[in-house]
């Protein structure tokens, strides 16, 4: 197994998409793996509530992982498109700042597929910016359903989570430590 100082280190763009559960979990699993090697990690959540005290935010606090949540500011309603656009732009500006900061070896953009899919951000511009500005050694992990083609093309690794069964289908409640 190569160690953390392997000379062939190159940043990857990793995309977890699809309808099955496990996209955010997979991204956070990578954060844990990277953190264990001393990589500096940052998570930016585009959709989750900023007030959430999820298991993962508690863990991140203890691990000293930079964590930003944009909150549940999206309305998902066409009459509030301008609001959603402004909110998405705020998040994207933050992401750009963190990507350029030199402070992180791995950045997660959680649920970032939605601003691109719903046109709150221009997918072509965002992907072109990432292609031109992402530091070559920095890993970027993106999650969310319905990834647009531009994002698929940019990514080095794309995994589509396929929904086979989910406990919600049979009315089971969300379980602490599994869902939050
Ligand atoms: P997780 O955060 O658990 O890794 P995810 O990131 O793959 O899930 P999201 O699309 O972000 O999934 O949706 C978040 C919530 O929706 C989770 O509580 C998850 O359990 C639930 N969910 C995901 N996939 C399904 C599904 N196929 N059926 C029902 N609920 C689902
Ligand atoms: Mg998710």
């Amino acid at each position: 197994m190569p160690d953390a100082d392997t000379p062939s280190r190159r940043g990857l763009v990793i995309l977890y998409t699809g309808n099955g559960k496990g996209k955010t979990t997979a991204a956070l699993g990578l954060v844990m793996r990277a953190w264990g090697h001393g990589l500096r990690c940052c998570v930016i959540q585009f959709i989750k509530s900023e007030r959430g005290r999820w298991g993962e935010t508690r863990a991140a606090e203890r691990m000293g992982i930079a964590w930003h949540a944009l909150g549940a500011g999206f309305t998902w309603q066409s009459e509030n498109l301008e609001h959603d656009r402004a909110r998405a732009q705020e998040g994207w500006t933050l992401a750009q700042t963190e990507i350029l900061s030199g402070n992180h070896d791995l950045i997660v953009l959680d649920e970032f597929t939605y601003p691109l899919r719903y046109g709150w951000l221009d997918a072509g511009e965002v992907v072109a910016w990432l292609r031109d500005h992402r530091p070559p050694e920095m890993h970027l992990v993106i999650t969310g359903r319905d990834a647009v083609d531009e994002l698929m093309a940019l990514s080095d690794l794309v995994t589509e989570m396929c929904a086979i069964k989910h406990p919600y289908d049979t009315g089971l409640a969300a379980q602490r430590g599994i869902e939050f």
Side-chain angles (χ1 to χ4, degrees):
M1 189 178 70
D3 65 31
D5 301 323
T6 178
S8 60
R9 186 169 150 206
R10 157 154 124 49
L12 299 174
V13 180
I14 296 172
L15 173 61
Y16 295 122
T17 190
N19 292 330
K21 173 174 162 68
K23 300 174 289 293
T24 298
T25 313
L28 297 178
L30 281 186
V31 166
M32 188 167 169
R33 179 174 285 166
W35 182 88
H37 282 295
L39 270 62
R40 300 161 304 163
C41 300
C42 171
V43 177
I44 301 177
Q45 296 201 293
F46 275 77
I47 304 289
K48 301 262 168 62
S49 166
E50 61 259 76
R51 292 182 303 279
R53 289 282 294 154
W54 317 108
E56 53 265 43
T57 52
R58 292 169 189 237
E61 254 174 48
R62 290 198 221 162
M63 293 162 82
I65 290 168
W67 195 286
H68 307 275
L70 264 95
F74 294 96
T75 59
W76 308 85
Q77 288 161 3
S78 52
E79 63 264 32
N80 281 310
L81 188 59
E82 283 317 310
H83 169 90
D84 288 343
R85 282 212 172 110
R87 200 66 201 180
Q89 187 56 54
E90 255 175 64
W92 172 233
T93 301
L94 172 68
Q96 289 173 298
T97 302
E98 295 296 354
I99 288 168
L100 296 178
S101 70
N103 293 334
H104 312 298
D105 302 305
L106 183 153
I107 295 187
V108 175
L109 303 181
D110 188 41
E111 321 294 349
F112 188 56
T113 55
Y114 302 106
L116 305 181
R117 168 57 66 189
Y118 292 107
W120 303 333
L121 297 171
D122 184 294
E125 281 176 23
V126 166
V127 168
W129 190 92
L130 288 173
R131 190 168 271 132
D132 293 344
H133 293 90
R134 180 177 58 88
E137 292 202 342
M138 206 198 77
H139 301 300
L140 186 67
V141 186
I142 296 172
T143 80
R145 298 174 192 208
D146 295 321
V148 296
D149 292 343
E150 294 95 320
L151 208 48
M152 301 266 204
L154 174 77
S155 302
D156 300 291
L157 188 165
V158 181
T159 295
E160 182 172 23
M161 268 57 177
C162 173
I164 307 283
K165 288 174 88 175
H166 193 290
Y168 290 177
D169 302 339
T170 56
L172 281 169
Q175 299 295 309
R176 183 173 63 170
I178 303 297
E179 293 292 348
F180 58 91

